[in-house]
Amino acid sequence: MSAEWQEKLSDPSKIDKAFDRLGYISNDRIATAVFLAQQLTKPILVEGPPGVGKTELAIATSEMLDIPLIRLQCYEGLDEAKALYEWKYGKQLLYTQVLKEKLGDVMQGAKSLPEAMGQLHSFSDVFFSHDFLEPRPLLKALEAENGAVLLIDEIDKSDYEFEAYLLEILSAYQISVPEIGVIKAKIPPIVFLTSNNTREMGDALKRRCLHLYIPFPDEKMERRIVAARVPAAAESLRKQLVAFVHALRAEELKKVPAISETIDWARTLLLLNVSELDVETVRRTINVLLKFQEDVEAVDRQLYKFVKQAKEAV
């Protein structure tokens, strides 16, 4: 870890203040998790409902340390070739064609078939060297000269088999390439794995990680988040819209509004020059918060109540 990293990550309170300057509103638990992850050289498994800032945490850490963010988006069927590395087969083929005329020189002096095969085998090994290796996100993070933040996003969407690929990386910060050997990180990346809890993670993966759960924030913290991201919004409007969103989250909706949607709604209301909530404005803009028509219809039946409660919160 560089001296600059050590200074920026030397205390949870420093991390919290640095996040705040970047517009990422954290808390003691989040800042302490990032501190411990670096001090213990362990990844963080960040769980919680969609839209609470799990991915943003990795982005903010990358900005805070001024190092690259390398992101691997997980999905069902993700395999080693897309996540770790693959061979540059096109380049191998091109070089084979170019060097075909040299094949006679390689075979020269061979007095038997086994001897010729041995010479040919040593020639073919050249094509399975690091020069012909195509790094994917995991290998790129290990090979980053000045370190990196590695974001393995939505790990719960991948297969159990893919978790097995990760175990060596998450424990030793290295990978084994059969044709080359072990490739170890020069500077271990700071690793964040995010999960929306669509499936349970395996015990082996969990043992290798620190655990951090980020829930939806309370109203006070969400107002701070909106203030940081939409500073032009008046305090009274922030209180009303956050109170309204929290009322929606208490309902049995197909998809409750995420923090990012609260921020988008605040920006929407500013664009419309809205200074306080009213039923018609909310009805016109509710599609910014709710993404399913059945949710829109369910909320519309109680819209007067929700708007009244939100305005009373000021």
Side-chain angles (χ1 to χ4, degrees), residues 43-78:
I44 306 178
L45 174 60
V46 190
E47 296 185 304
V52 294
K54 301 186 294 296
T55 299
E56 287 294 323
L57 174 58
I59 295 172
T61 303
S62 169
E63 292 178 355
M64 175 179 65
L65 299 176
D66 194 23
I67 54 177
L69 173 72
I70 299 175
R71 180 173 181 170
L72 174 64
Q73 179 63 50
C74 297
Y75 54 87
E76 188 176 350
L78 178 64

Side-chain angles (χ1 to χ4, degrees), residues 119-136:
Q119 289 177 309
L120 189 61
H121 179 70
S122 64
F123 176 74
S124 66
D125 283 348
V126 174
F127 291 92
F128 289 94
S129 64
H130 201 283
D131 291 336
F132 292 90
L133 200 63
E134 182 67 57
R136 295 305 183 192

Side-chain angles (χ1 to χ4, degrees), residues 223-278:
R223 286 198 298 269
R224 287 183 60 205
I225 294 170
V226 174
R229 296 303 179 93
V230 195
E235 183 180 359
S236 60
L237 181 61
R238 289 199 302 268
K239 287 182 178 180
Q240 288 180 33
L241 68 88
V242 168
F244 185 89
V245 169
H246 275 251
L248 296 189
R249 289 187 188 141
E251 298 297 304
E252 293 185 3
L253 301 177
K254 192 170 183 179
K255 181 188 179 300
V256 298
I259 298 172
S260 58
E261 287 154 349
T262 305
I263 294 168
D264 288 342
W265 196 38
R267 290 171 176 157
T268 299
L269 296 177
L270 273 185
L271 289 172
L272 296 174
N273 297 314
V274 174
S275 58
E276 67 172 16
L277 296 186
D278 63 79

Side-chain angles (χ1 to χ4, degrees), residues 27-243:
N27 55 35
D28 290 341
R29 289 187 302 104
I30 294 173
T32 300
V34 174
F35 168 76
L36 291 175
Q38 185 56 34
Q39 298 299 317
L40 300 175
T41 320
K42 292 179 76 69
I44 306 178
L45 174 60
V46 190
E47 296 185 304
V52 294
K54 301 186 294 296
T55 299
E56 287 294 323
L57 174 58
I59 295 172
T61 303
S62 169
E63 292 178 355
M64 175 179 65
L65 299 176
D66 194 23
I67 54 177
L69 173 72
I70 299 175
R71 180 173 181 170
L72 174 64
Q73 179 63 50
C74 297
Y75 54 87
E76 188 176 350
L78 178 64
D79 60 13
E80 188 176 6
K82 297 298 182 184
L84 288 170
Y85 69 90
E86 63 179 339
W87 294 106
K88 299 177 181 177
Y89 297 113
K91 186 176 179 181
Q92 288 171 329
L93 181 60
L94 176 63
Y95 274 56
T96 300
Q97 296 299 321
V98 171
L99 298 174
K100 185 183 291 185
E101 61 186 54
K102 298 293 184 181
L103 188 59
D105 296 339
V106 174
M107 304 292 290
Q108 189 175 11
K111 297 179 181 179
S112 65
L113 182 59
E115 190 175 342
M117 290 296 292
Q119 289 177 309
L120 189 61
H121 179 70
S122 64
F123 176 74
S124 66
D125 283 348
V126 174
F127 291 92
F128 289 94
S129 64
H130 201 283
D131 291 336
F132 292 90
L133 200 63
E134 182 67 57
R136 295 305 183 192
L138 299 181
L139 181 55
K140 284 181 181 178
L142 294 183
E143 293 187 322
E145 288 288 338
N146 299 310
V149 171
L150 172 60
L151 170 60
I152 304 175
D153 214 7
E154 299 185 307
I155 180 66
D156 52 323
K157 289 186 177 178
S158 66
D159 307 313
Y160 283 107
E161 291 78 6
F162 179 69
E163 286 187 32
Y165 291 137
L166 293 177
L167 298 182
E168 183 180 16
I169 294 173
L170 299 182
S171 59
Y173 294 94
Q174 66 180 36
I175 65 168
S176 299
V177 181
E179 297 87 349
I180 294 178
V182 174
I183 300 176
K184 192 172 181 64
K186 298 172 183 177
I187 300 176
I190 300 176
V191 183
F192 294 90
L193 302 94
T194 71
S195 170
N196 294 327
N197 301 311
T198 59
R199 73 169 176 85
E200 187 69 24
M201 296 294 101
D203 289 343
L205 184 141
K206 283 196 167 186
R207 282 198 304 272
R208 286 163 172 78
C209 300
L210 298 175
H211 180 261
L212 173 64
Y213 184 83
I214 302 180
F216 283 117
D218 59 26
E219 290 191 35
K220 182 180 178 181
M221 185 172 184
E222 192 154 6
R223 286 198 298 269
R224 287 183 60 205
I225 294 170
V226 174
R229 296 303 179 93
V230 195
E235 183 180 359
S236 60
L237 181 61
R238 289 199 302 268
K239 287 182 178 180
Q240 288 180 33
L241 68 88
V242 168

